[in-house]
Amino acid sequence: MKTIIIGGVAGGASAAARLRRLSENHEILIIEKGPYISFANCGLPYFMGGDIKDKNDLILQTPMSFYKRFNIDVRTNTFAHSVNAKENTLLLKNLLTGEEYTEKYDNLILSPGALPVKPQIKGIEKAFTLRTIPDTEKILEEIKARNAKTAIIVGGGYIGTEIGENLSLKGLRVKIIELGDHIVPTLDFEMAAEVQAYVRKKGIELFLNSKVTEITDNGVMLGSGEEKADIVIMSAGVRPDTDFLRDSAVNLTSKGLIKVDDRMRTNIPIIYAVGDAAQVSNFVTGQESFIPLAGPANKQGRIAADNICGLKSSYKGTQGSSVIKLFDMTAATTGISETAAKKAGLNFDKTYTYSMSHASYYPGAKGMSLKLLWERDTHKILGAQIAGFDGVDKRMDVIAAVIRLGGNVSDLTELELCYAPPFGSAKEAVNMAGFTAENVITEKVKQFFWNEVDCLPRDGSVFLLDVRTEKEVKSGSIEGFVNIPLDSLRSKMAEIPRDKPVYIHCHSGLRSYIACMMLKEHTQVCYNLAGGYRLYQIAKNEMISGDYPCYTK
Ligand code: FAD
């Protein structure tokens, strides 16, 4: 039995190693067009920035080590030109010698990954892209050769912002140009606003809602004119690297993704596909999706190998758990965003909480902002986003696990998580998100949101209340809100009208929630600003476009 694997990195290498562990009798051949297999593409930005000093640290296996340990034949610099699914053969080309030959397979695993998108704009050949170790070396050589001081990154997704961070740490002045209204598009606008405010402080210039129309000798052309830089790196997303399959009988989507079933089988039962190039179902919505991430690619590689060996493993979908470090900040997501929930037509609700990374009395506690989305009818958790500085990944992993197990908001309240002052809080950030969501579901509190604040009437028909301290108010306030600090509220109850809706805010949403509870019997109805003044202010400062009705310019 001979299995050929196209692509020797995340999905391909994982499939090969699992196949060998399951069967000593298989003949396994990996075909890789690049010079390396099993390299850490996720580590490339850090090699660029200098955190990873030796390129060899990025290479987890070599053809020789794979052969020695797993008895796997690895052919690097070899391009799989085409698949002949009738004859079960591949046409291969040795990229060093030009020699072409065919190989026959009993099973084929396709793990060709994804290519950086190169928009059809003038001068595109002048821009660099990042996918491989040689790509990274080319960028580093160019920086050195030109003594580059400035860089433009086109695209503010995960990879683009990571490149931006690393070049900035290397001492370059970095500009990120993004077509959308915010960077890191898996975050919603207001959560990305936290990240943007921080990376700006770190010296990265952001150009949002900006389209690059040309790569020039000195930078890029935008609608507003030429933006100059010594090097331009295109990081405008990825697309499946499946052009070589166009004339094969393997079914592809219109976007070039390979269609697979839950056992990673294509329409041709002996051909499997895994990783970035395979279409997956979104674990939360069930919709067919393109979610290129390393964890799913590795898991799918293992599943394809299992099925070839007769184990009936299945893949249940990708939920998009991802995390990014930007200087000292961490942002993480799992499940779907509010934008995606709206697109999928889901009936959802949301909360924002602001918690400390560990007990606030123990030195070094840092705040983190957490957004939680759940389905209104079932209370099932749909997704979460966190931006903060410490312990973000751990909270996100907990929520990711709850989503994977089909959990709901109450499950978050019940989780018993490790606690000692240096590590967390007795009422953990994840528990707090659950408590807050439960308060909303059980209608203990009604919420209003950052993008609704400026739409509230200022004609006296509602009462706008700010329960922060006088000192806090001095450093910034929202027009029309009357300040009565929370601790004076009981004694000043008479100043709050009984016959009008009351909208309350504090800094983070906690004191205003307490105020709502105090006023329960006093007022007609009370609304709490979810995320508080903090989130409102950060998001409003990042507002550019007219997407949010009250902020149209
Ligand atoms: P790949 O790992 O890309 O491997 C595909 C291989 O197939 C390539 O080496 C390619 O040369 C080869 N190939 C393609 N076509 C052919 C052919 N016709 N013949 C022969 N060989 C072929 N994901 C995360 O989850 N977290 C991260 O932090 C993260 N950071 C990233 C940073 C960067 C800079 C990049 C580029 C990606 C990052 N990713 C990250 C994405 C992650 O690397 C991919 O999701 C994962 O590698 C996909 O695995 P794969 O096997 O599908 O494709």
Side-chain angles (χ1 to χ4, degrees), residues 5-19:
I5 299 169
I6 299 180
V9 190
S14 185
R18 174 74 171 170
L19 204 50

PDB file of all heavy atoms in Angstrom, residues 5-19:
ATOM      1  N   ILE A   5       1.760  11.972  -0.258  1.00  0.00           N
ATOM      2  CA  ILE A   5       1.235  13.181   0.389  1.00  0.00           C
ATOM      3  C   ILE A   5       1.812  14.396  -0.326  1.00  0.00           C
ATOM      4  O   ILE A   5       3.036  14.501  -0.475  1.00  0.00           O
ATOM      5  CB  ILE A   5       1.640  13.206   1.879  1.00  0.00           C
ATOM      6  CG1 ILE A   5       1.053  11.976   2.595  1.00  0.00           C
ATOM      7  CG2 ILE A   5       1.169  14.499   2.552  1.00  0.00           C
ATOM      8  CD1 ILE A   5       1.588  11.749   3.995  1.00  0.00           C
ATOM      9  N   ILE A   6       0.935  15.273  -0.795  1.00  0.00           N
ATOM     10  CA  ILE A   6       1.423  16.499  -1.441  1.00  0.00           C
ATOM     11  C   ILE A   6       1.403  17.620  -0.405  1.00  0.00           C
ATOM     12  O   ILE A   6       0.343  17.971   0.127  1.00  0.00           O
ATOM     13  CB  ILE A   6       0.559  16.874  -2.662  1.00  0.00           C
ATOM     14  CG1 ILE A   6       0.631  15.744  -3.697  1.00  0.00           C
ATOM     15  CG2 ILE A   6       1.042  18.200  -3.268  1.00  0.00           C
ATOM     16  CD1 ILE A   6      -0.176  15.992  -4.945  1.00  0.00           C
ATOM     17  N   GLY A   7       2.583  18.162  -0.126  1.00  0.00           N
ATOM     18  CA  GLY A   7       2.706  19.201   0.901  1.00  0.00           C
ATOM     19  C   GLY A   7       3.299  18.592   2.163  1.00  0.00           C
ATOM     20  O   GLY A   7       2.699  17.697   2.755  1.00  0.00           O
ATOM     21  N   GLY A   8       4.460  19.084   2.560  1.00  0.00           N
ATOM     22  CA  GLY A   8       5.170  18.453   3.684  1.00  0.00           C
ATOM     23  C   GLY A   8       5.260  19.320   4.909  1.00  0.00           C
ATOM     24  O   GLY A   8       6.216  19.202   5.688  1.00  0.00           O
ATOM     25  N   VAL A   9       4.255  20.201   5.115  1.00  0.00           N
ATOM     26  CA  VAL A   9       4.366  21.048   6.297  1.00  0.00           C
ATOM     27  C   VAL A   9       3.280  20.625   7.313  1.00  0.00           C
ATOM     28  O   VAL A   9       3.235  19.445   7.681  1.00  0.00           O
ATOM     29  CB  VAL A   9       4.376  22.552   5.925  1.00  0.00           C
ATOM     30  CG1 VAL A   9       4.741  23.419   7.123  1.00  0.00           C
ATOM     31  CG2 VAL A   9       5.421  22.791   4.836  1.00  0.00           C
ATOM     32  N   ALA A  10       2.394  21.530   7.711  1.00  0.00           N
ATOM     33  CA  ALA A  10       1.522  21.225   8.865  1.00  0.00           C
ATOM     34  C   ALA A  10       0.671  19.956   8.661  1.00  0.00           C
ATOM     35  O   ALA A  10       0.880  18.937   9.330  1.00  0.00           O
ATOM     36  CB  ALA A  10       0.649  22.436   9.176  1.00  0.00           C
ATOM     37  N   GLY A  11      -0.279  20.028   7.727  1.00  0.00           N
ATOM     38  CA  GLY A  11      -1.185  18.893   7.541  1.00  0.00           C
ATOM     39  C   GLY A  11      -0.479  17.676   6.977  1.00  0.00           C
ATOM     40  O   GLY A  11      -0.702  16.535   7.425  1.00  0.00           O
ATOM     41  N   GLY A  12       0.399  17.905   6.002  1.00  0.00           N
ATOM     42  CA  GLY A  12       1.067  16.798   5.304  1.00  0.00           C
ATOM     43  C   GLY A  12       2.003  16.036   6.224  1.00  0.00           C
ATOM     44  O   GLY A  12       1.966  14.789   6.290  1.00  0.00           O
ATOM     45  N   ALA A  13       2.837  16.751   6.964  1.00  0.00           N
ATOM     46  CA  ALA A  13       3.803  16.081   7.846  1.00  0.00           C
ATOM     47  C   ALA A  13       3.072  15.351   8.973  1.00  0.00           C
ATOM     48  O   ALA A  13       3.459  14.246   9.365  1.00  0.00           O
ATOM     49  CB  ALA A  13       4.774  17.112   8.424  1.00  0.00           C
ATOM     50  N   SER A  14       1.995  15.958   9.452  1.00  0.00           N
ATOM     51  CA  SER A  14       1.223  15.338  10.516  1.00  0.00           C
ATOM     52  C   SER A  14       0.580  14.031  10.029  1.00  0.00           C
ATOM     53  O   SER A  14       0.601  13.006  10.728  1.00  0.00           O
ATOM     54  CB  SER A  14       0.156  16.350  10.936  1.00  0.00           C
ATOM     55  OG  SER A  14      -0.559  15.910  12.000  1.00  0.00           O
ATOM     56  N   ALA A  15       0.036  14.075   8.795  1.00  0.00           N
ATOM     57  CA  ALA A  15      -0.580  12.878   8.217  1.00  0.00           C
ATOM     58  C   ALA A  15       0.474  11.778   8.050  1.00  0.00           C
ATOM     59  O   ALA A  15       0.237  10.606   8.380  1.00  0.00           O
ATOM     60  CB  ALA A  15      -1.212  13.218   6.867  1.00  0.00           C
ATOM     61  N   ALA A  16       1.653  12.162   7.561  1.00  0.00           N
ATOM     62  CA  ALA A  16       2.701  11.172   7.288  1.00  0.00           C
ATOM     63  C   ALA A  16       3.140  10.477   8.579  1.00  0.00           C
ATOM     64  O   ALA A  16       3.248   9.237   8.628  1.00  0.00           O
ATOM     65  CB  ALA A  16       3.896  11.866   6.634  1.00  0.00           C
ATOM     66  N   ALA A  17       3.369  11.271   9.633  1.00  0.00           N
ATOM     67  CA  ALA A  17       3.865  10.683  10.882  1.00  0.00           C
ATOM     68  C   ALA A  17       2.805   9.763  11.505  1.00  0.00           C
ATOM     69  O   ALA A  17       3.124   8.686  12.000  1.00  0.00           O
ATOM     70  CB  ALA A  17       4.253  11.797  11.849  1.00  0.00           C
ATOM     71  N   ARG A  18       1.537  10.192  11.451  1.00  0.00           N
ATOM     72  CA  ARG A  18       0.461   9.361  12.011  1.00  0.00           C
ATOM     73  C   ARG A  18       0.321   8.052  11.226  1.00  0.00           C
ATOM     74  O   ARG A  18       0.165   6.980  11.801  1.00  0.00           O
ATOM     75  CB  ARG A  18      -0.845  10.148  11.978  1.00  0.00           C
ATOM     76  CG  ARG A  18      -2.088   9.377  12.381  1.00  0.00           C
ATOM     77  CD  ARG A  18      -2.151   9.137  13.870  1.00  0.00           C
ATOM     78  NE  ARG A  18      -3.437   8.581  14.271  1.00  0.00           N
ATOM     79  CZ  ARG A  18      -3.685   8.096  15.477  1.00  0.00           C
ATOM     80  NH1 ARG A  18      -2.744   8.068  16.398  1.00  0.00           N
ATOM     81  NH2 ARG A  18      -4.882   7.634  15.789  1.00  0.00           N
ATOM     82  N   LEU A  19       0.420   8.176   9.914  1.00  0.00           N
ATOM     83  CA  LEU A  19       0.303   6.996   9.051  1.00  0.00           C
ATOM     84  C   LEU A  19       1.381   5.966   9.430  1.00  0.00           C
ATOM     85  O   LEU A  19       1.093   4.778   9.564  1.00  0.00           O
ATOM     86  CB  LEU A  19       0.481   7.451   7.601  1.00  0.00           C
ATOM     87  CG  LEU A  19      -0.107   6.623   6.476  1.00  0.00           C
ATOM     88  CD1 LEU A  19      -1.561   6.290   6.740  1.00  0.00           C
ATOM     89  CD2 LEU A  19      -0.004   7.420   5.156  1.00  0.00           C
TER      90      LEU A  19
END
